[in-house]
């Protein structure tokens, strides 16, 4: 889809390419153009690309509609799959680590299994992530990613740059 020059706003950040692809597909299926910033950089850097944050950007005029669309996506399992009273320990179903009940969903941020008894089951965020949200940990994680990315780039390109600089200075002085 061709996207003309517009003022883009951040809608959300994604943890990996598959999550970004799902968000993009949802938006484009509803006629909302979007860009995923960092997608090509992440794939070009391979292992080091995991430190690049994928940012979903949309036109400013579509921001509220896109947020509402993301909120409207059902996060719970279908109605016929209510949690069982006594989970089978040999079962391959996921269980909440706190309550031992069958998991009905996962935390939207860290992937922790949540059951119907968990405080964050209605919001989709576990207690730990809810505590971190108010503490500014998301900002800290972004800063750490940037620092690690710069250190990796310095490690990869620093030595060749220093050799080039040394040989140039040697040639100029001789």
């Amino acid at each position: 889809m061709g996207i003309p020059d517009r003022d883009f706003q951040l809608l959300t950040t994604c943890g990996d390419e598959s999550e970004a692809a799902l968000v993009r597909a949802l938006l484009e299926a509803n006629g909302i153009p979007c860009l995923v910033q960092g997608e090509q950089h992440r794939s070009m850097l391979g292992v080091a690309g995991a430190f690049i944050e994928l940012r979903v950007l949309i036109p400013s005029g579509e921001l509220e509609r896109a947020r509402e669309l993301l909120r409207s996506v059902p996060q719970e399992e279908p109605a016929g799959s209510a949690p069982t009273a006594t989970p089978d320990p040999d079962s391959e179903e996921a269980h909440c680590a706190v309550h031992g009940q069958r998991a009905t969903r996962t935390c939207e941020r860290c992937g922790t299994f949540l059951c119907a008894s968990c405080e964050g089951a209605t919001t989709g965020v576990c207690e730990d992530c809810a505590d971190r949200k108010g503490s500014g940990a998301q900002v800290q994680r972004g800063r750490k990613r940037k620092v690690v990315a710069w250190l990796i780039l310095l490690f990869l390109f620093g030595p060749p740059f220093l050799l080039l600089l040394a040989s140039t200075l040697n040639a100029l002085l001789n």
Side-chain angles (χ1 to χ4, degrees), residues 58-168:
I58 60 166
S60 302
E62 301 284 347
L63 188 60
E64 281 307 311
R65 193 176 112 185
R67 284 183 178 156
E68 191 61 38
L69 182 65
L70 285 182
R71 277 186 234 126
S72 70
V73 174
Q75 298 291 322
E76 297 180 18
E77 291 185 18
S81 59
T84 58
T86 55
D88 180 14
D90 297 328
S91 163
E92 292 187 20
E93 292 180 340
H95 292 87
C96 172
V98 177
H99 301 105
Q101 296 177 3
R102 182 177 168 275
T104 56
R105 65 188 304 178
T106 58
C107 174
E108 295 172 359
R109 294 196 178 151
C110 68
T112 300
F113 294 118
L114 302 173
C115 69
S117 301
C118 289
E119 289 180 23
T122 56
T123 61
V125 180
C126 70
E127 294 172 21
D128 291 338
C129 288
D131 291 342
R132 281 193 295 263
K133 182 178 182 180
S135 68
Q138 186 73 16
V139 174
Q140 289 294 336
R141 186 177 70 163
R143 288 183 189 148
K144 286 180 184 177
R145 280 185 172 188
K146 288 178 184 174
V147 168
V148 169
W150 278 107
L151 289 174
I152 289 171
L153 289 173
L154 181 64
F155 178 75
L156 291 174
F157 299 110
F161 178 73
L162 289 176
L163 287 174
L164 179 67
L165 183 64
S167 64
T168 304

Side-chain angles (χ1 to χ4, degrees), residues 1 3 9 19 22 53-54 65 76 80 91 107 137 159 165:
M1 170 186 289
I3 299 177
Q9 297 273 331
E19 184 183 354
L22 286 172
E53 188 174 53
L54 296 175
R65 193 176 112 185
E76 297 180 18
S91 163
C107 174
L165 183 64

